Amino acid sequence: MSKLSQSTGKQARDGKRGATGRDFDALRQRRMRAAAMFDRGRRQADVASALGVSAQTVSKWYRAWSVGGREALAGAGRAGRMRKLSVLSLPRSRRS
């Protein structure tokens, strides 16, 4: 096995990738760094390179920032699916 595939497998096992290993505060900080770079007039390609994210992600951030400013990048919303049932329609034993 190559070193690249070994390191990729290790990252997946360590929880550094995927939904279970998300650090929402770190993700928010990265979006705020992007907003600061946009404020300074940095190009989207430079932001993507500096933050290690895709051009598509930066493009999405830029559109949100240009319409709503830093506040538009503050929260990415909830992770995962929305509930199909409201909390009140769950059985009492499952409410938390």
Side-chain angles (χ1 to χ4, degrees), residues 4-48:
L4 179 61
S5 61
Q6 286 175 347
S7 67
T8 304
K10 184 179 183 309
Q11 285 178 345
R13 285 190 306 273
D14 289 345
K16 292 182 181 176
R17 289 186 164 185
T20 59
R22 291 186 187 155
D23 179 352
F24 290 104
D25 191 47
L27 296 174
R28 182 187 161 287
Q29 288 176 4
R30 185 167 54 184
R31 291 190 305 273
M32 292 300 104
R33 286 184 58 203
M37 294 172 86
F38 296 149
D39 287 337
R40 292 191 305 268
R42 297 283 303 268
R43 295 179 321 140
Q44 291 182 33
D46 295 335
V47 173

Side-chain angles (χ1 to χ4, degrees), residues 78 80-88 90 94-96:
R78 68 177 260 111
R81 297 180 97 153
M82 297 295 290
R83 290 178 178 247
K84 289 186 178 182
L85 298 173
S86 71
V87 173
L88 296 176
L90 291 173
R94 295 205 51 206
R95 292 183 198 171
S96 45

Side-chain angles (χ1 to χ4, degrees), residues 58-91:
V58 173
S59 178
K60 185 174 86 170
W61 290 348
Y62 184 81
R63 276 183 275 129
W65 172 82
S66 63
V67 172
R70 294 176 72 86
E71 297 81 28
L73 295 178
R78 68 177 260 111
R81 297 180 97 153
M82 297 295 290
R83 290 178 178 247
K84 289 186 178 182
L85 298 173
S86 71
V87 173
L88 296 176
S89 60
L90 291 173

